[in-house]
Amino acid sequence: MLYDKSISTICENGKRLTLIGLTIPLLLEGIFGLLYGTVNTVILSGYSDMAVSATGVAQSISTLTNTVLNMVSKGTVILASVAMGSGDTKRVRSIAGTGMFLMLSCSILLATVLVAFSNEIMQLMGLSGKLHGMAVSYLRTIGIILPITAMFSYVNNLLICYGYSKVTMLCGLFSNVLNVFLCWFALYSNVSLPITGVVAVAVCTGI
């Protein structure tokens, strides 16, 4: 049988979950997660071509760190799902807590590397001059907020594990709208702010 209709609907803890109802919010949540960098690039394109180039290079490093952290997050969710399926609530809580500690520890370690060696990393990427300075500033700011964004992603994955995929989708939608507004305000409003350019955009994304 190529398609088993019986697995498309699951009843769990009094809730009726459908395959489509779970996958569509997951798809949208994934798209929203990828939109941060794209939105930042589009908004910066009207501000400075050099800023676009700098953030593009720095964003590739940021994506790599997020991929590493995602392995920790997904692994924890798999273990929690197995424990949840066996009805071992105590073990689920233990796994979730351990995963949170690992996620925070790994994100702090990676953040330290990004902040401490951002200059060397951008040199390895072949950047120099003003472009190099912008990329370093952006990468350092991303590094500082990395533990916060990592924990946000971790909690999102736990919510998906519990079947609350619509919540994560709405979080992604709201945070992207907020990111667009804050980035626009930081770059194009007439309000004087202590931070500008790529650093302002990185901070807005963190918020």
Side-chain angles (χ1 to χ4, degrees), residues 150-167:
M151 295 311 296
F152 178 82
S153 174
Y154 179 76
V155 172
N156 260 4
N157 282 322
L158 278 183
L159 286 171
I160 292 169
C161 182
Y162 276 91
Y164 295 106
S165 55
K166 288 182 181 178
V167 175

Side-chain angles (χ1 to χ4, degrees), residues 151-201:
M151 295 311 296
F152 178 82
S153 174
Y154 179 76
V155 172
N156 260 4
N157 282 322
L158 278 183
L159 286 171
I160 292 169
C161 182
Y162 276 91
Y164 295 106
S165 55
K166 288 182 181 178
V167 175
T168 65
M169 178 190 71
L170 292 173
C171 283
L173 175 61
F174 174 75
S175 59
N176 267 282
V177 171
L178 183 62
N179 182 46
V180 171
F181 171 74
L182 290 176
C183 287
W184 174 86
F185 183 82
L187 294 181
Y188 302 112
S189 70
N190 294 322
V191 179
S192 179
L193 297 173
I195 53 174
T196 57
V198 295
V199 174
V201 168

Side-chain angles (χ1 to χ4, degrees), residues 95-124:
I95 291 170
T98 302
M100 186 171 289
F101 174 76
L102 285 173
M103 192 69 166
L104 187 59
S105 300
C106 290
S107 63
I108 290 174
L109 177 62
L110 288 172
T112 303
V113 171
L114 291 183
V115 173
F117 300 103
S118 56
N119 187 52
E120 289 77 7
I121 292 171
M122 289 300 101
Q123 284 178 347
L124 287 174

